């Protein structure tokens, strides 16, 4: 019943930009914090950014500060990740997650996950 779908991944050169989108259905979108996570091959999945129900940003990863921006459009049930000044180390599968009330909740509270979208940054 709950469906979370990411889009917008692809190939970018170092220094370039990509914008990811995430559409969620089957839940009260504006009742939840929304998060972006990523996983590179051979590495643990890490949190990137989270946005609260009221639109406040939480940085999970210091490495993206000043380069990535999270936003949401509650009228469209859509979450965005604007990625600028991309680096090869940003290469990963990016996941959208929902279900937590607060960005400070444990990761297990994010009960609903998308299928992931591949982001590849070349040098």
């Amino acid at each position: 019943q709950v469906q979370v779908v990411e889009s917008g991944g692809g190939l970018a050169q170092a220094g370039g930009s990509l914008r990811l989108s995430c559409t969620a259905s089957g839940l009260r979108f504006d009742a939840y914090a929304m998060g972006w996570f990523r996983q590179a091959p051979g590495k643990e999945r890490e949190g990137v950014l989270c946005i609260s129900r009221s639109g406040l940003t939480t940085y999970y990863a210091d490495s993206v500060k000043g380069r990535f921006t999270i936003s949401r459009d509650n009228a469209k049930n859509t979450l965005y990740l604007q990625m600028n000044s991309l680096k090869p180390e940003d290469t990963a599968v990016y996941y959208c997650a929902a279900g937590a009330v607060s960005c400070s909740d444990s990761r297990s509270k994010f009960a609903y996950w998308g299928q992931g979208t591949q982001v590849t940054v070349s040098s």
Side-chain angles (χ1 to χ4, degrees):
Q1 57 181 357
V2 176
Q3 188 175 52
V4 180
V5 181
E6 304 99 333
S7 62
L11 178 66
Q13 66 268 32
S17 298
L18 285 173
R19 192 189 198 197
L20 307 184
S21 298
C22 168
T23 300
S25 61
L27 53 77
R28 177 75 181 273
F29 184 81
D30 61 0
Y32 295 100
M34 298 291 296
W36 285 103
F37 298 78
R38 67 185 181 184
Q39 187 166 20
K43 295 185 64 179
E44 289 281 310
R45 188 172 299 184
E46 66 170 343
V48 182
L49 282 167
C50 182
I51 187 167
S52 74
R53 292 170 293 171
S54 61
L56 276 62
T57 296
T58 294
Y59 288 93
Y60 289 147
D62 291 340
S63 61
V64 307
K65 194 172 184 179
R67 300 188 298 120
F68 290 10
T69 303
I70 190 170
S71 61
R72 67 192 297 164
D73 186 338
N74 289 341
K76 297 180 180 179
N77 281 11
T78 301
L79 176 74
Y80 303 98
L81 182 65
Q82 179 67 48
M83 304 184 293
N84 298 327
S85 302
L86 283 164
K87 303 176 180 179
E89 52 262 45
D90 295 319
T91 295
V93 177
Y94 283 71
Y95 297 91
C96 172
V101 175
S102 170
C103 291
S104 63
D105 288 347
S106 65
R107 188 177 299 180
S108 63
K109 295 294 185 180
F110 289 93
Y112 309 111
W113 295 77
Q115 79 289 343
T117 185
Q118 177 71 48
V119 171
T120 302
V121 183
S122 64
S123 59

